[in-house]
Amino acid sequence: EMPPEPVPHSSKELYQFGLMPRSERLPLASGGSWVFFSGMFSGGGSGMLERVAILRYGANGKIENLMPEVTQTETADRAMWKVPDVSPYPVFVRADFVWADDEDHFGKHFFVVDAWTFDPAIGQYRKRFSYRTAKRYDRGEGSDHVLSAERADILRHLAASK
């Protein structure tokens, strides 16, 4: 189960990320593997939050989370990409919607796209860049996949942020 996280602006309430836990093995180019792990939180409405972690066994034999606290909404598009020209480690990329004036829950939205790479010097993932999409994307059934549509721009940003 994902550890709880404080609700912003509350000293007592916690987000509990115990719903729909998922894991995925992340093979490393150098051998071995890490684990991509996620869990969801629901406050009972239509919106949910997902928290992600990248886990490995540390030198002390304990499981370490290599990601800082990173959450996104249920409408986010996220993936682990292999981009050997940028990093020998898996790259975490995501696109999460931006709520703008005159938009509804199920309509098209702009998205904030960011990418995170592992920094061996600090032993943790670090955000490399963030940008807002120039076009709105539909997140309904049969929708555009933001990361696929933005892939060329994402790779260009990753190369520029080396």
Side-chain angles (χ1 to χ4, degrees):
E1 184 173 299
M2 188 71 71
E5 181 178 311
V7 173
H9 312 295
S10 173
S11 61
K12 297 179 183 176
E13 296 175 308
L14 296 173
Y15 289 132
Q16 300 288 340
F17 293 92
L19 300 174
M20 298 187 304
R22 294 186 292 173
S23 64
E24 173 189 342
R25 185 175 169 267
L26 300 173
L28 300 176
S30 60
S33 62
W34 292 344
V35 174
F36 180 76
F37 183 73
S38 66
M40 300 288 279
F41 163 81
S42 173
S46 63
M48 296 179 76
L49 285 179
E50 179 184 46
R51 183 167 173 201
V52 297
I54 298 173
L55 308 173
R56 73 170 176 192
Y57 279 110
N60 59 6
K62 294 187 179 197
I63 296 174
E64 300 173 340
N65 182 5
L66 305 177
M67 283 296 278
E69 288 184 7
V70 175
T71 59
Q72 59 264 343
T73 68
E74 80 284 354
T75 61
D77 202 3
R78 53 109 174 125
M80 297 299 297
W81 286 357
K82 290 180 183 177
V83 190
D85 293 346
V86 172
S87 175
Y89 303 98
V91 176
F92 176 67
V93 292
R94 71 173 176 176
D96 204 354
F97 82 100
V98 177
W99 198 277
D101 291 339
D102 299 323
E103 290 182 345
D104 62 49
H105 187 70
F106 299 104
K108 292 184 177 189
H109 296 277
F110 291 109
F111 280 70
V112 172
V113 176
D114 54 26
W116 302 69
T117 58
F118 181 69
D119 183 343
I122 62 170
Q124 195 165 43
Y125 272 74
R126 181 188 307 206
K127 188 187 291 189
R128 293 282 289 266
F129 67 83
S130 182
Y131 72 90
R132 188 178 127 168
T133 60
K135 84 174 240 191
R136 289 185 167 136
Y137 291 92
D138 180 18
R139 295 299 298 155
E141 201 170 308
S143 67
D144 300 313
H145 293 281
V146 179
L147 293 179
S148 296
E150 294 284 324
R151 186 173 178 90
D153 285 338
I154 294 168
L155 292 174
R156 192 170 25 262
H157 278 85
L158 278 168
S161 69
K162 273 189 184 178

